[in-house]
Amino acid sequence: MIIKELSCERFAGIRDTTLTLQPGMNLLLGENESGKSTLADLLYQLFFQDTKLDGRRDKAFLDTYFPKGVDRDGDIIDGKVRFQTEAGSHTLYKEWSPGGSLCRLTTPEGTRLSSPEAIRTVLEDALLYGKGIYDEVVFAGQKRPQTLLTALLDSKKDKKAAPAEVLMDLSATLQA
């Protein structure tokens, strides 16, 4: 998978933002509190956060990314990612709201999917590893308290890769 573009109208403190990525490695540079980590969080949430929200189960998500205070400017957050696979270009759009949700994936053929199960199947095929690897390696940030070892041990349960395979693939990728 190659991520081509990431955008949102509003996600946490980010508004009306589009990030176009170039082939190869892209670096996000900026001052503290300028939104770098929030953009990475947006990408992660697009791939892994259900749009149907539960007040108890998704409390951390709601508390972290939804508007707060008197200047809330609504109760909807959203994001869109355009990515390329061997099959072609896909666009995933999600809109989160305590009162409802919207999730749509457009496939390279132009098919528009809204079923969470169908979208999850496409994403599982597009993402190289299981969620644990993305949690602990790809999207590991200063806010996430999990450890790499836990993810690698959990990846034994992952149908796609064993821990040694993950480390070899990551090592080869980093050396390339």
Side-chain angles (χ1 to χ4, degrees):
M1 170 192 294
I2 299 171
I3 298 168
K4 299 289 197 171
E5 187 176 88
L6 178 66
S7 64
C8 69
E9 288 181 33
R10 180 172 190 145
F11 185 82
I14 301 173
R15 292 185 184 192
D16 301 319
T17 298
T18 299
L19 179 65
T20 303
L21 301 166
Q22 302 302 315
M25 185 180 293
N26 290 258
L27 299 175
L28 295 179
L29 303 173
E31 298 291 322
N32 286 341
E33 298 300 319
S34 63
K36 303 176 301 293
S37 295
T38 304
L39 282 170
D41 288 348
L42 171 60
L43 183 60
Y44 176 85
Q45 300 302 341
L46 281 165
F47 288 138
F48 297 111
Q49 175 65 45
D50 288 334
T51 52
K52 187 175 181 181
L53 299 173
D54 175 277
R56 284 177 277 157
R57 183 191 70 220
D58 299 311
K59 183 174 179 4
F61 177 80
L62 291 162
D63 290 346
T64 302
Y65 302 112
F66 272 81
K68 297 171 188 63
V70 282
D71 62 341
R72 287 176 40 148
D73 278 346
D75 61 354
I76 295 173
I77 59 174
D78 73 307
K80 180 167 72 170
V81 61
R82 189 170 50 86
F83 61 93
Q84 186 82 23
T85 67
E86 290 177 4
S89 182
H90 299 72
T91 302
L92 175 64
Y93 175 79
K94 288 187 176 182
E95 187 174 279
W96 295 273
S97 171
S101 63
L102 174 64
C103 184
R104 182 177 60 239
L105 177 76
T106 305
T107 67
E109 301 82 26
T111 304
R112 293 175 61 164
L113 304 172
S114 64
S115 159
E117 295 79 22
I119 292 170
R120 196 171 300 115
T121 299
V122 171
L123 289 176
E124 285 173 358
D125 288 342
L127 295 166
L128 187 57
Y129 302 109
K131 184 177 182 297
I133 297 303
Y134 290 95
D135 283 347
E136 304 300 336
V137 178
V138 179
F139 290 96
Q142 69 268 20
K143 297 178 189 173
R144 292 194 176 88
Q146 302 91 351
T147 65
L148 175 59
L149 180 58
T150 303
L152 291 173
L153 292 173
D154 285 348
S155 70
K156 287 182 181 178
K157 300 172 195 165
D158 190 322
K159 297 175 194 164
K160 293 189 177 187
E165 294 167 345
V166 172
L167 287 176
M168 287 188 301
D169 285 349
L170 288 172
S171 175
T173 300
L174 291 173
Q175 291 175 8

